[in-house]
Amino acid sequence: MNILDTSNIDRLQDIISSAARISVAVHIHPDGDALGSGIAAITFLQSIGKDAVLILPHMYPESLGFLVTDDIAGSIIVYENEPERAVARINESDTVFCQDFNDFSRTGDMGQALAESGAVKVLIDHHLYPDTESFTLTFSEPDTVSSTSELLYYILMALPQTGGDAKKLPAAAATALMAGMTTDTNNFANSTHPGTFRMASELIAAGVDRDMLLGNLFNNFRENRIRLMAKFLKDMKITEDGVAYMVLDRKTIKKYGIQDGETEGFVNIPLTINKVRMSIFMRQDKDRFRVSIRSKRGVSANICAKRYFNGGGHELASGGRMMIPSELRNAGEAARYIEKVTHEYFNDTAND
Ligand SMILES: [Mn+2]
């Protein structure tokens, strides 16, 4: 894999060797890739004698808890639970790794502390349009890797401490990288590249237990989630333009006892229907609707997310947010909004 510029690797080596205190930050509502790449970074850095801590804007979903051993838990600070401790740690860090996001705003309220920090900042990410000016060193690969975990894998393999041998990674790092790649590709279904399979092959050869991972990632859901999924499939609407959508309100989330992360993957299911070209899933939070958009090849989820949902991301997988009540007041209004703007979107695209 030669996506990595060797001069960037040399610079990274210098940054790591002069770093005394490193913080690794990831995006809000951390998913498998954010948590996995974060754990991989800190366990690797600790294995070479560095003081490294992972800072999460929010708690990780319970379903990913199997990646967080007691040792690792002691090196994680959750901003949402301990904002002062998180900010203090950012302020006393001389080096900050920013992973799986392209812009500090993606880290929510802790973004300000990150932006204002005088630390050396290294971006490692696979989202479009990184805010490169905010970083000392940028590794950004939106088109050539599946995930931040995959990109971080190449970076770690290029460092002298591993010399390209995955067996030299700490076991926790190898497992976390495999987990991050597996969740971001939805188990090799989306955005896989030749290198993705090579990485998987090398990590399995290095001892990663893929069966254990798949068991934890895909066969370990609570019954409530599957019951809610049934409701989602029943209530989902499909418009004449081939847009499948569903808006999940807080009342339903409460009724089913759904936790953060438990609706992960719902948005992908409608794409298995032949006539569906795009799928939109909105989930009501305290002050906003969180929006997930997926599309089939030829339709840009990214442009739709940018134009109508204050978001963006990848070409076929994007997200956004709509504030309550300034932009949308309730689930009914959200449903009407989706119908209206997607119709406009497909009419526009048809005229291009
Ligand atoms: Mn990712």
PDB file of all heavy atoms in Angstrom, residues 33 100 126-127 184, ligand 1:
ATOM      1  N   ASP A  33     -15.450   2.339  14.559  1.00  0.00           N
ATOM      2  CA  ASP A  33     -14.216   2.838  13.945  1.00  0.00           C
ATOM      3  C   ASP A  33     -13.542   3.883  14.841  1.00  0.00           C
ATOM      4  O   ASP A  33     -12.322   3.874  15.007  1.00  0.00           O
ATOM      5  CB  ASP A  33     -14.530   3.429  12.567  1.00  0.00           C
ATOM      6  CG  ASP A  33     -13.279   3.710  11.741  1.00  0.00           C
ATOM      7  OD1 ASP A  33     -12.264   3.008  11.924  1.00  0.00           O
ATOM      8  OD2 ASP A  33     -13.332   4.623  10.898  1.00  0.00           O
ATOM      9  N   ASP A 100     -10.863   9.874  12.918  1.00  0.00           N
ATOM     10  CA  ASP A 100     -12.205   9.565  12.427  1.00  0.00           C
ATOM     11  C   ASP A 100     -13.128  10.773  12.401  1.00  0.00           C
ATOM     12  O   ASP A 100     -14.332  10.642  12.498  1.00  0.00           O
ATOM     13  CB  ASP A 100     -12.825   8.395  13.227  1.00  0.00           C
ATOM     14  CG  ASP A 100     -13.853   7.627  12.403  1.00  0.00           C
ATOM     15  OD1 ASP A 100     -13.709   7.572  11.165  1.00  0.00           O
ATOM     16  OD2 ASP A 100     -14.816   7.094  12.991  1.00  0.00           O
ATOM     17  N   HIS A 126     -10.717   9.482   7.296  1.00  0.00           N
ATOM     18  CA  HIS A 126     -11.126   9.066   5.953  1.00  0.00           C
ATOM     19  C   HIS A 126     -12.406   9.766   5.486  1.00  0.00           C
ATOM     20  O   HIS A 126     -13.096   9.262   4.603  1.00  0.00           O
ATOM     21  CB  HIS A 126     -11.302   7.534   5.906  1.00  0.00           C
ATOM     22  CG  HIS A 126     -12.483   7.035   6.704  1.00  0.00           C
ATOM     23  ND1 HIS A 126     -13.460   6.221   6.154  1.00  0.00           N
ATOM     24  CD2 HIS A 126     -12.835   7.224   7.980  1.00  0.00           C
ATOM     25  CE1 HIS A 126     -14.358   5.936   7.085  1.00  0.00           C
ATOM     26  NE2 HIS A 126     -14.006   6.519   8.200  1.00  0.00           N
ATOM     27  N   HIS A 127     -12.739  10.928   6.094  1.00  0.00           N
ATOM     28  CA  HIS A 127     -13.914  11.679   5.633  1.00  0.00           C
ATOM     29  C   HIS A 127     -13.492  12.737   4.607  1.00  0.00           C
ATOM     30  O   HIS A 127     -12.362  13.213   4.634  1.00  0.00           O
ATOM     31  CB  HIS A 127     -14.627  12.341   6.810  1.00  0.00           C
ATOM     32  CG  HIS A 127     -15.205  11.346   7.773  1.00  0.00           C
ATOM     33  ND1 HIS A 127     -14.487  10.840   8.824  1.00  0.00           N
ATOM     34  CD2 HIS A 127     -16.405  10.729   7.785  1.00  0.00           C
ATOM     35  CE1 HIS A 127     -15.238   9.961   9.475  1.00  0.00           C
ATOM     36  NE2 HIS A 127     -16.407   9.863   8.864  1.00  0.00           N
ATOM     37  N   ASP A 184     -17.074  -0.361  10.184  1.00  0.00           N
ATOM     38  CA  ASP A 184     -17.229   0.681   9.159  1.00  0.00           C
ATOM     39  C   ASP A 184     -17.559   0.093   7.784  1.00  0.00           C
ATOM     40  O   ASP A 184     -18.204   0.750   6.971  1.00  0.00           O
ATOM     41  CB  ASP A 184     -15.982   1.575   9.072  1.00  0.00           C
ATOM     42  CG  ASP A 184     -16.245   2.968   9.652  1.00  0.00           C
ATOM     43  OD1 ASP A 184     -17.097   3.067  10.560  1.00  0.00           O
ATOM     44  OD2 ASP A 184     -15.611   3.952   9.207  1.00  0.00           O
TER      45      ASP A 184
HETATM   46 MN    MN B   1     -14.988   5.874  10.287  1.00  0.00          MN
END
